[in-house]
Amino acid sequence: QVQLVESGGGLVQAGGSLRLSCAASGRTFSRYAMGWFRQAPGKEREFVSAITWSGGRTYYADSVKDRFTTSRDNAKNTVYLQMNSLKPEDTAVYYCASTSVPFARLAREYDYWGQGTQVTVSS
């Protein structure tokens, strides 16, 4: 059982930055990675990034690769998504999720999800 709670969302102007946090509890030590997804109204849930617990290896969607950075603090059981140079099209509810699948990029490959945190980027 894994419990995830996102925080750090809010309203920011285009070009600004936000850092999202995802606090994990439960049986995280045996999980492979934590991912970030986002979902805008009326759209499918979209992969953003992921990071492995063990080695801190990251991988990103092309749309955010040059602007977003994922990191983790294993001692705190927390992962982060640093979002820089934000654009209006980044507006979405952002979710963190847990997976045991290496290099998972599909929502169906993640089995535990947080409640989401709203990120709104104004022009």
Side-chain angles (χ1 to χ4, degrees):
Q1 190 75 27
V2 177
Q3 298 82 43
L4 307 172
V5 180
E6 303 97 332
S7 62
L11 175 64
V12 65
Q13 285 194 267
S17 299
L18 284 173
R19 189 172 82 154
L20 306 184
S21 299
C22 178
S25 61
R27 199 168 179 266
T28 60
F29 66 91
S30 62
R31 307 294 289 178
Y32 181 76
M34 192 76 70
W36 289 96
F37 287 77
R38 64 187 183 186
Q39 188 166 25
K43 296 186 178 180
E44 297 294 317
R45 193 162 296 188
E46 175 190 20
F47 173 78
V48 175
S49 66
I51 183 167
T52 67
W53 284 111
S54 179
R57 182 174 181 178
T58 59
Y59 48 102
Y60 300 88
D62 289 343
S63 59
V64 306
K65 187 176 181 64
D66 297 332
R67 301 180 294 121
F68 292 8
T69 303
T70 298
S71 60
R72 90 275 195 259
D73 186 334
N74 288 50
K76 296 181 178 179
N77 293 314
T78 301
V79 299
Y80 305 94
L81 183 66
Q82 178 67 48
M83 305 184 294
N84 299 323
S85 301
L86 282 162
K87 306 174 181 179
E89 48 263 48
D90 295 318
T91 295
V93 176
Y94 283 70
Y95 300 88
C96 65
S98 176
T99 184
S100 59
V101 178
F103 305 106
R105 290 176 175 265
L106 303 176
R108 62 178 173 84
E109 296 175 305
Y110 290 76
D111 50 3
Y112 296 98
W113 294 82
Q115 83 289 347
T117 185
Q118 177 71 48
V119 172
T120 303
V121 184
S122 62
S123 59

